[in-house]
Amino acid sequence: MLVLLPIFAVLTFVALLPVVVIVLGEFPGSFIEKVEALVSTYDGVMISLGTLFLVSFLAFLTTLLSNKKADRQEAANRKIAAQLKIGEFRQAWINDLRNQLSTYYAKTITAGEMHDDWEELALLSGKIRLLMNADDVDYDRLVDVLRELTKAMEARDEEIGQIADELLKTSQHILKREWDRLKNDLGSIDGVRL
């Protein structure tokens, strides 16, 4: 847009040059005397034209600066909207993981009463693993607890409650960490207060 400023100036000069040359031809004397006579004769017109071009230039410059500011604001708004959308996705993921973990926990502590939920437990375990990031610091511990619970349920081990409590603690740790991360990410967005 700043490239247009010199073009604007050149076009203004080109538009006025023929008029100035014609008017200068009407005055007698040397070139400098003609210019002095032109300025003294048409000083009011020149001031009006100067004011007109100055106001036009300032209007153009103001529009240019306003557009630049609006573009920057729009880009900032898009960035905020994207971060908020990511936050929504992360919250949905946390909720889904919480639901899967709580369902799995509930099924394991009542496993002594139900014998035909193995397929559902396997499905829940798979969903939990898929929802987790394998690079997460607690992923291996969570998978180990899920395996221990499966073995304990198959053997009808009395330690199911203790292992299920370990699942609960590990789950709470993961969910708390992810909730804190979500809050920090949303808190770092300009204009958003938590």
Side-chain angles (χ1 to χ4, degrees), residues 28-144:
S30 67
F31 180 75
I32 293 180
E33 290 172 343
K34 288 180 179 186
V35 170
E36 286 178 0
L38 174 73
V39 169
S40 65
T41 305
Y42 294 107
D43 61 344
V45 173
M46 293 179 129
I47 290 172
S48 297
L49 283 176
T51 303
L52 173 69
F53 285 113
L54 179 63
V55 168
S56 298
F57 172 75
L58 290 175
F60 177 77
L61 187 62
T62 302
T63 302
L64 178 71
L65 294 175
S66 295
N67 287 343
K68 278 190 165 197
K69 183 175 181 175
D71 289 345
R72 282 194 307 269
Q73 185 64 41
E74 183 181 339
N77 288 343
R78 280 194 308 268
K79 183 179 177 184
I80 290 170
Q83 290 173 322
L84 289 172
K85 194 64 173 172
I86 289 170
E88 286 178 33
F89 289 145
R90 186 170 288 137
Q91 182 61 54
W93 170 79
I94 290 170
N95 291 343
D96 193 17
L97 182 61
R98 179 182 293 115
N99 289 338
Q100 301 302 322
L101 287 166
S102 62
T103 303
Y104 190 89
Y105 176 79
K107 295 281 184 187
T108 57
I109 60 173
T110 60
E113 302 165 12
M114 296 178 256
H115 301 286
D116 56 344
D117 281 348
W118 292 108
E119 185 176 328
E120 187 174 357
L121 286 171
L123 179 67
L124 286 169
S125 177
K127 283 182 181 179
I128 291 167
R129 289 180 185 190
L130 288 172
L131 284 169
M132 287 294 298
N133 181 354
D135 295 332
D136 188 285
V137 295
D138 292 317
Y139 179 79
D140 291 333
R141 180 65 192 138
L142 182 64
V143 170
D144 288 344

